[in-house]
Amino acid sequence: MNSDEFLKELQYKLRGLPDTERVNAVRFFEEYIHKANLSPGTDVTTICGTPEEAARQVMSGSIDTRSIKKSVRAHETKSQREGRHNGIIGILVVLGILIIGAAALFGVFGLALDLSHFRLFKASKRETGTITLEDFRSLDVKTDAAAIELVSDSDSYYVDYSLINDDIKIDNKDGRLTLEHKNHNLFGFNLGDDSFIKVHVPKGVSFDDIKLTGDTGAVKMKDISCSTAWLEADTGTVTLENSTTGDATLTTDTGAVHVTNSTVEKSLNAEADTGSIKLIDSTLNDIVVDTDTGSFHVNGTDFNTIEANLDTGSINIEAPGSRDDYSLELETDTGSVKINGNKEGKSLDQKGDTNKSIKAETDTGSVIIDFQ
């Protein structure tokens, strides 16, 4: 069953759910199928199970994100992961050659030209403004090249923005606000740009689902309460700060993921292809972490379970309680496993006295656990 067939069938199986819950569930599986980077025609049930099984998980409120995550990693080969990194490096190299070549050309011919006149380097017109919004229960923000922030700090709904030669479109239908930003500059970005979109909402208001998606720029949600949160950046830091949500998915290709002073009542999925992941002073339940190149830190945070998979980077976890409380599956190929400062070799497997667990694996780096 291909992805289109799976999602169509899943949507039908969930027809009895409210629209918001059905849309969120289908979007969840759609995003993970996309991240698996499957070849055309691949049977997606190897990742998500059958539509019937997926629908049962959704209806019971127990989507097996860990199993799906493992399947995604199994289908994404090492060469595919390396390809993403090489692609980023290739773009930077080409861009550097363009800049250096242009500078050399101008120098040879003695041309006193300002690169700011070229749209590749800087667009000619910046627009800054404020738009008043009607109230909403769900939010979906998409941007090509701007930082995104959602913050609860006012008595009304409005958006501040500062953009260059760009379009911003807003639609509010049935309590769902969609805000889409299109960039019209050459190559779709501005060098040295500080473009931003900042959505302000009243203090104390709770929301259904929040989705903030950016290509180039930081993505941040602060002082917000919602049922589900999806924060994603291709290049930029993703931050969840002083917020409360049922489920949270935080992803970035190149950048860091930070969770501070926040509560995630059900599951937190954090992913960074290249960058660190930090969970600080928060209350979390089930945590799934994945990074290709970067470290993972947990400090001052309560949690139930952690599953961390790193290719290159160290894992440092401060765990509340005693060692005997946790079931541990810890492993490193190059590095060591340390518990409260004591080396345990390269792997450790133990059963705990409670349902708490830590499963942490890194190919290159150490796994360090300190029980508090």
Side-chain angles (χ1 to χ4, degrees):
M1 178 176 286
N2 63 35
S3 59
D4 291 339
E5 293 170 338
F6 174 88
L7 295 172
K8 184 177 180 179
E9 181 69 16
L10 176 61
Q11 189 167 27
Y12 176 77
K13 296 291 184 184
L14 299 176
R15 63 191 182 281
L17 289 179
D19 289 346
T20 298
E21 294 182 24
R22 185 174 66 255
V23 168
N24 288 342
V26 173
R27 178 188 294 161
F28 172 86
F29 284 97
E30 184 178 16
E31 293 285 352
Y32 272 116
I33 291 171
H34 173 72
K35 286 183 179 296
N37 195 24
L38 302 176
S39 59
T42 299
D43 183 4
V44 300
T45 60
T46 57
I47 293 178
C48 304
T50 66
E52 292 80 7
E53 292 169 339
R56 282 197 296 269
Q57 292 184 43
V58 173
M59 299 294 283
S60 65
S62 58
I63 297 177
D64 190 358
T65 56
R66 293 184 181 183
S67 177
I68 295 172
K69 196 76 171 181
K70 288 179 181 177
S71 298
V72 169
R73 286 178 60 84
H75 281 82
E76 185 181 41
T77 64
K78 184 176 181 180
S79 63
Q80 287 174 322
R81 292 195 297 268
E82 291 175 348
R84 284 202 307 270
H85 299 312
N86 292 339
I88 294 171
I89 294 172
I91 291 172
L92 294 176
V93 169
V94 170
L95 183 58
I97 292 172
L98 286 172
I99 295 172
I100 295 171
L105 179 64
F106 297 147
V108 168
F109 289 97
L111 299 177
L113 294 180
D114 183 357
L115 293 181
S116 65
H117 293 295
F118 290 82
R119 296 187 70 193
L120 168 62
F121 299 96
K122 182 180 178 182
S124 58
K125 181 182 179 182
R126 173 174 292 279
E127 182 178 350
T128 301
T130 299
I131 301 174
T132 301
L133 305 172
E134 296 181 0
D135 62 337
F136 55 86
R137 304 300 302 171
S138 300
L139 176 65
D140 189 346
V141 179
K142 297 178 182 178
T143 173
D144 284 347
I148 306 173
E149 183 173 358
L150 171 64
V151 60
S152 175
D153 63 354
S154 70
D155 297 322
S156 60
Y157 298 82
Y158 65 96
V159 57
D160 288 330
Y161 65 91
S162 180
L163 304 170
I164 295 178
N165 279 355
D166 298 353
D167 291 334
I168 183 170
K169 296 180 180 179
I170 298 176
D171 180 54
N172 193 338
K173 184 178 181 180
D174 299 328
R176 182 172 188 82
L177 181 72
T178 301
L179 190 156
E180 186 172 5
H181 157 236
K182 291 290 187 180
N183 181 282
H184 297 297
N185 278 10
L186 187 61
F187 299 141
F189 62 88
N190 302 299
L191 296 181
D193 189 16
D194 56 356
S195 295
F196 69 85
I197 296 172
K198 187 172 184 179
V199 181
H200 304 262
V201 298
K203 299 176 181 178
V205 176
S206 295
F207 299 91
D208 294 330
D209 58 298
I210 301 294
K211 185 172 184 180
L212 311 178
T213 307
D215 282 348
T216 304
V219 175
K220 184 175 184 179
M221 189 171 91
K222 181 179 180 182
D223 300 323
I224 299 295
S225 176
C226 63
S227 297
T228 61
W230 188 292
L231 313 182
E232 181 176 359
D234 283 352
T235 303
T237 297
V238 173
T239 303
L240 182 69
E241 180 179 337
N242 198 33
S243 294
T244 299
T245 182
D247 294 296
T249 300
L250 315 177
T251 68
T252 180
D253 287 346
T254 304
V257 173
H258 294 160
V259 177
T260 59
N261 297 305
S262 293
T263 298
V264 179
E265 297 169 347
K266 297 178 182 178
S267 63
L268 168 67
N269 289 271
E271 181 176 349
D273 285 349
T274 302
S276 63
I277 297 175
K278 295 182 179 180
L279 313 179
I280 309 297
D281 298 332
S282 295
T283 300
L284 311 174
N285 189 16
D286 296 328
I287 303 165
V288 178
V289 166
D290 189 0
T291 177
D292 289 345
T293 304
S295 59
F296 173 49
H297 297 267
V298 181
N299 303 102
T301 293
D302 290 328
F303 62 88
N304 186 39
T305 67
I306 288 179
E307 181 175 335
N309 295 285
L310 280 67
D311 286 346
T312 302
S314 294
I315 299 172
N316 292 266
I317 299 173
E318 289 183 2
S322 68
R323 173 172 175 169
D324 292 337
D325 293 335
Y326 294 81
S327 294
L328 302 175
E329 293 182 52
L330 313 176
E331 184 176 356
T332 176
D333 289 341
T334 304
S336 60
V337 173
K338 296 181 181 179
I339 305 293
N340 289 345
N342 298 317
K343 289 188 176 181
E344 304 279 349
K346 292 187 178 298
S347 64
L348 175 65
D349 194 343
Q350 75 167 48
K351 282 291 185 180
D353 296 333
T354 72
N355 63 350
K356 292 179 176 291
S357 66
I358 301 174
K359 183 176 181 180
E361 178 181 350
T362 179
D363 291 342
T364 304
S366 294
V367 179
I368 302 171
I369 313 292
D370 290 311
F371 294 98
Q372 306 298 305

